[in-house]
Amino acid sequence: MRTFAAELAGDHPAIDLLVNNAGVVLLGPRRTSADGFELHLATNMLGHFVLTGLLLGNLAAAREARVVSLSSITHKNAHLDLNDLMFEHDYRAATAYGRSKLATTIFGIELDRRLRAAGTPIVSALAHPGLTRTNLTPRAWEHRGRFGRLIASAGLLATQPVAHGALPQLHAATEPGVRGGQFFGPSGLWETRGRVTEARLSQEAADPAVGTRLWAAAADLTGVNYL
């Protein structure tokens, strides 16, 4: 993240749009990043936290910059254990993924609070794709061999095409008049598919106290602090 941010900032003094889109879902054993962070949290949230902070000056140099963070409907059923962010105890992969997406969502909302408090016009918005037919699901089940491939194939039948799943994110990134803190997703069948509409945050994702604690933890873990 640091290397990429330094190169990008050097090439682009003003950045109009940052889409925090990196995502991983791994349903096998617990894995960690090179920094020793649980890999879901490292990829889906901590990397975004660092990159946004390191590029904040470049975003501020643009006239109407936006940061869009990619959430998931799985955040609605997740609970963040702030005393075990790295999920070292009783690890469950699907739960770890949901927690990481909840963390991403909390980050996007807390970023909006802090940007507003700082008086900067940068907009922090969020989006989720519903259930979308990407390569993440098949790869997540690779560790289960033939049975995993069967489960992944069956699951893909319930998903919408990537072009449809990308629409909430594109809306958040490009639609005129998007406000900080807005959250977009599909409108149909429990937000799994359909046209773009405003999505609902879970109570935990919208809790300012949780946002403050997660922000402090992310700054401590990464050594990057801002706002």
Side-chain angles (χ1 to χ4, degrees):
M1 284 297 120
R2 294 175 188 275
T3 301
F4 172 71
E7 293 176 354
L8 187 65
D11 292 340
H12 301 280
I15 295 175
D16 298 287
L17 174 65
L18 172 62
V19 180
N20 288 319
N21 185 63
V24 63
V25 52
L26 301 163
L27 299 185
R30 182 180 180 275
R31 295 169 61 183
T32 58
S33 69
D35 297 298
F37 303 144
E38 192 278 318
L39 198 54
H40 287 100
L41 188 72
T43 305
N44 298 347
M45 184 268 170
L46 290 177
H48 295 162
F49 178 87
V50 168
L51 185 62
T52 302
L54 295 178
L55 295 178
L56 199 63
N58 301 72
L59 289 161
R63 193 166 55 180
E64 297 179 342
R66 291 185 193 180
V67 179
V68 178
S69 298
L70 188 64
S71 178
S72 165
I73 54 175
T74 61
H75 96 272
K76 297 176 186 289
N77 298 315
H79 169 66
L80 201 62
D81 186 349
L82 288 162
N83 296 315
D84 186 19
L85 275 177
M86 296 305 135
F87 217 148
E88 295 177 288
H89 306 289
D90 301 319
Y91 178 81
R92 296 180 300 281
T95 304
Y97 174 74
R99 285 184 180 184
S100 73
K101 282 302 186 177
L102 173 58
T104 302
T105 310
I106 293 168
F107 161 66
I109 295 298
E110 181 65 16
L111 177 63
D112 170 59
R113 291 192 193 101
R114 291 172 181 255
L115 289 170
R116 289 200 222 185
T120 174
I122 301 170
V123 166
S124 171
L126 302 97
H128 78 80
L131 295 180
T132 300
R133 199 172 303 130
T134 71
N135 62 357
L136 286 179
T137 302
R139 289 185 177 179
W141 287 92
E142 284 179 348
H143 68 289
R144 296 296 296 273
R146 182 178 296 177
F147 175 73
R149 289 193 296 273
L150 179 63
I151 293 293
S153 298
L156 289 175
L157 296 176
T159 59
Q160 63 178 347
V162 169
H164 292 175
L167 292 178
Q169 203 169 343
L170 290 171
H171 184 99
T174 63
E175 184 71 14
V178 169
R179 302 182 308 277
Q182 281 192 291
F183 180 32
F184 301 98
S187 61
L189 198 62
W190 303 294
E191 297 185 13
T192 60
R193 60 182 64 243
R195 63 179 180 80
V196 178
T197 189
E198 283 209 52
R200 290 171 295 174
L201 290 167
S202 73
Q203 186 175 352
E204 189 169 343
D207 187 336
V210 176
T212 298
R213 289 185 64 191
L214 179 62
W215 191 281
D220 183 60
L221 286 166
T222 64
V224 176
N225 199 1
Y226 52 103
L227 294 173

